[in-house]
Amino acid sequence: MDEIALAAGALYVIVLLRAGGTFAVGWLAGAGARRSRFAGRTSSAKFRRAERAIQRWGAPVVAVSFLTVGFQTAANFLAGSMRMPLPRYLPALFVGGAAWALIYATAGLGVLKGLGRLFAERTAFGVSAVVILLLAVCGVVVYRRRRAVAVPSSDGD
């Protein structure tokens, strides 16, 4: 079996479980909010309009969210919490998830193949690149920690 097809299939299963799970958690959170002290807010006319708009037009947003970084989880959670009907959500999940899986399978395998060639043909260069990358990451972490400690607290002085 082709390695890209295998990777894409595995990633597709992963994204369906992750995004579908996020939708389910959103659905449960929305149901809980409707029974909590926020019930008054979730029954307002403005909230109901937003809910209907997401239920009707949210599927394309969910599908396209898979092509973004960092917006997928929010889109799937919101679709669940706003009770997007499954007949609208599932096609968006399947199409968007397939696009995500194909992009990550082809790009990810391309990067891994490139790194494999780099290490096979020029091992010293590959090891040096990894060491430089690790040093850069450690430098960023140390810089952020020192900066966080050096920032004075704003207690009104």
Side-chain angles (χ1 to χ4, degrees), residues 8 10 39-40 74 81 104 111 130 150:
S81 66
Y104 274 82
V111 168
V130 170

Side-chain angles (χ1 to χ4, degrees), residues 46-59:
K46 191 174 187 178
F47 185 87
R48 295 274 187 213
R49 275 194 311 274
E51 188 176 54
R52 281 192 305 274
I54 288 172
Q55 289 172 352
R56 183 169 183 183
W57 303 105

Side-chain angles (χ1 to χ4, degrees), residues 99-121:
W100 180 89
L102 287 172
I103 289 168
Y104 274 82
T106 54
L109 284 178
V111 168
L112 288 177
K113 283 181 180 180
L115 287 173
R117 266 191 243 114
L118 176 68
F119 276 96
E121 295 170 8

Side-chain angles (χ1 to χ4, degrees), residues 72-99:
Q72 302 166 33
T73 303
N76 284 283
F77 184 85
L78 185 61
S81 66
M82 293 294 200
R83 298 186 295 188
M84 182 184 294
L86 284 177
R88 290 185 187 267
Y89 175 74
L90 289 177
L93 172 64
F94 294 145
V95 170

